[in-house]
Amino acid sequence: MFWKSGRRFLRTTTFRLTLWYLGVFSALSVAVFLVVYVSLALRLQAQTDSELLDKSKEFVTLYREHGIKALQAEFAREAESQGTGHVLFQLLSSSGIPLASSNLSQWKELDITRSKEPSVQESQPSYRTISLRRQRHKIRLLSMPISGGEWIDVGSSLQREELILERYRETFGVALMVMVGCGGLFGFLLARKAMAGVQRVTDTATGIGRNDLGRRVPLTDEGEEINALALAFNAMLERIEILLGEFRQVTDNVAHELRTPITRIRGMAETTLKGNDDLCEYKETVASVIDGCDDLIEMIGTMLEIAKTDSGTVDLDLVLLDLLELVEEAADLFTPMAEDKGIDIRLNKPYRTATVVGDRRRLQRVVSNLLDNAIKYTPHGGVITVSIEIEAGNVKVAIADTGIGINENDLPHIFERFYRCDHSRSTPGSGLGLSLALAIVHAHGGDITVQSSEHGSTFSFFLPASSSPDRS
């Protein structure tokens, strides 16, 4: 169990973030150490070189003013005071022959040869760092030329500088281990806190998987990104909950709407089967069954059309079309039906084309559904007015009737699937026409509204207008 938990932890994002943090933190710490170390080493070397240069100038002045004997005595005194194993001084001729020196018994490995004809570079003071096999510490040696081709060598052991750098390395090593340990713990806590929001989303998703769809991810102050993730996840849950609710409602409605015609069809078939063997009666029953099946097929097709349009999976055949022309064609088509009921259809045209980008066949269905409803619920002698206006970048099509109106309590539900007002239950229809019209208009980026009173109803839909020339 412990082994499985350990392996699972090694695969977590928290562990990987901790490793990344620890790696970056360690790399930056080592980089800072190297910068400080190199800076310190250069500063110590510059200080040593400055001390060697001052000492060599002091010897040159003494040699010029008091001669070689005084210089030899000063070499001996300085070496004795600082330690013959730590410093060396010598005066060389132009051919490299020692003329005076301190005690060099511990510096026998040191190469003091010079070329007989010094180069231009050798006419200037030069510094060298030398490693000797018998010396634990390196030597910093300054060779100072003197007029006449002679040289003064001043050397000093780098024991003090090397000990300082060694202490620095040791101190940093201990500090680095402590910093890496604390940094790893801090990185782990930081990564765990950063992933806490993701864990909450995971817990919520797990709860939803157990049929707790009402759960939501709580918002905290863990950062804008985590809150944005929680808001997006909650919005997705809201959408899923709405879709599931609509799905349940549609399922219930479908079951209810299908039960009645199927029961009716079965009843006709059963009655005919138990009746006399009359061929005419059989034919009438079969014709009724076919009509009932056609109604069911149309209702199922309309439901599929609404579902596809609402989900955005329907393929709209978008073209540039004149909505005025489309409405005129629909009005002409429904005029005979209206005249049979003694209803007058009037059309108010704009002075310019009402051009939109849309699917002609589906927009024809929207206008047809609205006109069909208006004719159904308008009594004999009534008037249906179809108006087309262009306002605020939209084309507005309003279909107003002088019918019975819609009850105020029914208005909020008028576009729901299978919803039918009490007074409309006696008229043919499935209760899907307005739902389909709303879905199609929404798919075109528009909207549809309804206003109603006891004097009639007005359905209006809006579509984004496209640029169009003025009507001549």
Side-chain angles (χ1 to χ4, degrees):
M1 180 65 73
F2 177 77
W3 173 247
K4 289 184 179 178
S5 300
R7 290 184 61 184
R8 188 161 54 248
F9 174 73
L10 294 179
R11 293 196 297 268
T12 61
T13 304
T14 300
F15 177 73
R16 294 177 183 177
L17 287 176
T18 302
L19 280 185
W20 272 101
Y21 177 82
L22 194 59
V24 172
F25 180 76
S26 300
L28 290 176
S29 299
V30 171
V32 171
F33 161 75
L34 291 177
V35 170
V36 175
Y37 183 81
V38 172
S39 176
L40 178 61
L42 293 176
R43 186 178 293 274
L44 290 173
Q45 179 176 303
Q47 182 179 355
T48 302
D49 291 348
S50 177
E51 293 174 355
L52 293 176
L53 183 60
D54 291 342
K55 184 60 69 178
S56 65
K57 289 180 179 178
E58 181 182 332
F59 288 151
V60 169
T61 302
L62 180 65
Y63 174 60
R64 286 174 178 170
E65 293 179 354
H66 301 285
I68 194 169
K69 290 184 178 180
L71 182 62
Q72 176 63 52
E74 184 63 15
F75 281 170
R77 191 185 65 79
E78 287 284 346
E80 187 67 24
S81 64
Q82 299 184 34
T84 56
H86 293 283
V87 294
L88 68 90
F89 312 110
Q90 61 181 359
L91 173 65
L92 302 175
S93 67
S94 59
S95 58
I97 299 174
L99 301 177
S101 68
S102 59
N103 185 355
L104 301 179
S105 58
Q106 299 186 44
W107 308 98
K108 294 179 180 180
E109 297 178 73
L110 185 63
D111 180 13
I112 58 173
T113 58
R114 295 285 190 282
S115 61
K116 294 183 179 180
E117 298 296 335
S119 63
V120 176
Q121 292 180 347
E122 288 180 337
S123 64
Q124 301 295 326
S126 62
Y127 296 93
R128 290 181 293 168
T129 300
I130 304 171
S131 297
L132 301 178
R133 287 182 301 174
R134 295 182 180 179
Q135 293 286 340
R136 179 182 175 185
H137 304 285
K138 295 179 181 178
I139 304 300
R140 188 67 173 172
L141 182 65
L142 167 63
S143 298
M144 169 70 79
I146 305 175
S147 59
E150 296 167 329
W151 292 82
I152 286 183
D153 286 344
V154 179
S156 175
S157 171
L158 296 177
Q159 178 182 1
R160 177 175 60 91
E161 292 79 0
E162 291 179 356
L163 286 176
I164 292 175
L165 294 177
E166 184 179 352
R167 295 288 185 273
Y168 176 78
R169 291 193 298 270
E170 292 175 353
T171 303
F172 178 80
V174 174
L176 180 62
M177 287 189 290
V178 175
M179 291 168 63
V180 168
C182 295
L185 178 61
F186 179 73
F188 171 74
L189 296 175
L190 199 63
R192 189 174 181 180
K193 182 175 177 56
M195 298 304 297
V198 179
Q199 184 62 45
R200 283 189 290 107
V201 175
T202 303
D203 293 341
T204 304
T206 303
I208 293 170
R210 297 169 183 161
N211 295 325
D212 189 6
L213 194 57
R215 290 188 61 177
R216 295 292 182 269
V217 181
L219 300 179
T220 63
D221 58 349
E222 291 169 326
E224 189 65 26
E225 295 84 354
I226 298 298
N227 281 340
L229 174 64
L231 288 173
F233 193 79
N234 289 340
M236 181 185 68
L237 291 178
E238 295 282 354
R239 180 61 178 161
I240 291 174
E241 194 171 14
I242 292 173
L243 289 177
L244 285 179
E246 292 180 351
F247 176 75
R248 293 192 189 99
Q249 182 183 1
V250 169
T251 303
D252 295 341
N253 290 335
V254 168
H256 180 268
E257 296 295 329
L258 290 180
R259 184 184 298 116
T260 301
I262 290 176
T263 302
R264 182 169 55 85
I265 292 172
R266 185 184 182 284
M268 287 191 300
E270 184 177 10
T271 302
T272 304
L273 185 63
K274 293 179 179 178
N276 299 324
D277 296 335
D278 187 347
L279 182 59
C280 293
E281 186 176 351
Y282 285 164
K283 287 184 177 180
E284 290 178 0
T285 301
V286 171
S288 299
V289 169
I290 291 174
D291 289 342
C293 291
D294 288 343
D295 292 340
L296 290 176
I297 290 172
E298 182 181 357
M299 184 177 67
I300 292 172
T302 304
M303 289 168 50
L304 293 175
E305 181 78 8
I306 293 173
K308 290 173 64 177
T309 307
D310 274 343
S311 63
T313 58
V314 66
D315 294 327
L316 297 176
D317 184 16
L318 299 177
V319 295
L320 193 66
L321 56 90
D322 185 358
L323 204 55
L324 173 60
E325 178 184 331
L326 187 146
V327 170
E328 284 180 329
E329 292 175 356
D332 292 341
L333 183 66
F334 279 86
T335 295
M337 178 178 171
E339 288 176 350
D340 289 344
K341 291 186 65 177
I343 299 172
D344 183 21
I345 297 180
R346 300 172 184 174
L347 185 61
N348 293 332
K349 303 178 183 179
Y351 292 101
R352 51 184 297 189
T353 56
T355 308
V356 299
V357 175
D359 186 314
R360 174 180 290 275
R361 184 176 63 82
R362 288 185 168 83
L363 291 179
Q364 282 176 338
R365 197 162 184 183
V366 172
V367 178
S368 297
N369 285 346
L370 296 180
L371 279 174
D372 184 58
N373 273 353
I375 294 173
K376 279 181 184 176
Y377 301 112
T378 301
H380 179 81
V383 177
I384 297 175
T385 304
V386 182
S387 303
I388 302 176
E389 300 176 5
I390 301 175
E391 56 181 27
N394 290 318
V395 176
K396 173 186 175 184
V397 178
I399 299 176
D401 61 56
T402 57
I404 57 178
I406 303 171
N407 189 285
E408 184 177 352
N409 296 328
D410 292 326
L411 279 177
H413 309 286
I414 200 69
F415 291 105
E416 294 178 3
R417 296 171 193 176
F418 300 110
Y419 187 84
R420 305 191 69 188
C421 305
D422 291 338
H423 57 71
S424 66
R425 297 187 185 280
S426 59
T427 59
S430 61
L432 293 173
L434 290 178
S435 299
L436 178 61
L438 178 67
I440 292 175
V441 171
H442 280 177
H444 283 77
D447 198 5
I448 185 168
T449 62
V450 58
Q451 294 176 330
S452 186
S453 67
E454 59 183 6
H455 303 295
S457 303
T458 301
F459 286 85
S460 305
F461 69 88
F462 305 81
L463 294 176
S466 296
S467 58
S468 59
D470 293 337
R471 182 180 291 275
S472 58

